[in-house]
Structure formats: structure tokens, C-alpha cells
Amino acid sequence: MDAFTAGLLHRIRTTQSDLTRARETGDEYLADVEQAELEDLHRLAAEHGVEVAPVCAQANVNEGDPHRACDLAGRATALAEAAGDTTTA
């Protein structure tokens, strides 16, 4: 795994954790910021062919949110495909 991929996956895990913490504390503004960051990271991953499904599945088990991050991964893949990037399909 190259440094870009490792760094991106680390940022996704960290952002998912920060999003969960913001939701748990009721900080809606921070949750919105973290959600937008997570969506951007998943889009970036999809654009570069970085597989995030196994990472998000593990993060979801740990964070108690069984669907959200993997839904975002699917959305990021769909966005990349709509933009003409077929490397993530």
C-alpha cells in the first residue's frame, strides 16, 4: 500500500470517528462538517480507485453505525462513475 492510500484510509477512519463523536455529543454543526469531509474523502478514494468498503465495514462495527460509511462509499463510486471514471466499477 502506497503512502497516498494509507493516508487516505487513515483520514477516512479518523473522520468517521470524529463524526460519530460529534453526533454522540449533539454537535450538529461539527457533525455536518465531518459528514461533508467524509463524503469528500470517499469521493477522492473513488476517483483514485482506492477500495474503502473493508475499512468502512470495520469502522462501522466499531462505531455502531452499520450502514452510513459504506453507503457513502457506494455514493462516491456512483459519483466517480457518473464523471466517467470506470476504474472503480
Side-chain angles (χ1 to χ4, degrees):
M1 178 180 310
D2 62 23
F4 173 80
T5 301
L8 183 58
L9 293 175
H10 175 74
R11 286 182 62 196
I12 289 171
R13 285 190 300 270
T14 300
T15 303
Q16 180 63 45
S17 177
D18 292 346
L19 174 59
T20 299
R21 191 172 313 116
R23 288 178 176 162
E24 288 172 349
T25 62
D27 189 336
E28 292 182 28
Y29 175 76
L30 183 57
D32 287 344
V33 170
E34 296 296 345
Q35 182 68 48
E37 175 71 9
L38 190 60
E39 290 173 5
D40 286 344
L41 291 168
H42 279 277
R43 178 191 49 77
L44 185 62
E47 288 175 359
H48 291 275
V50 175
E51 177 63 47
V52 295
V55 174
C56 73
Q58 183 60 40
N60 287 335
V61 169
N62 293 338
E63 300 300 333
D65 185 356
H67 304 290
R68 184 68 180 152
C70 288
D71 290 345
L72 291 174
R75 193 174 338 155
T77 300
L79 288 171
E81 289 172 354
D85 181 0
T86 58
T87 61
T88 58

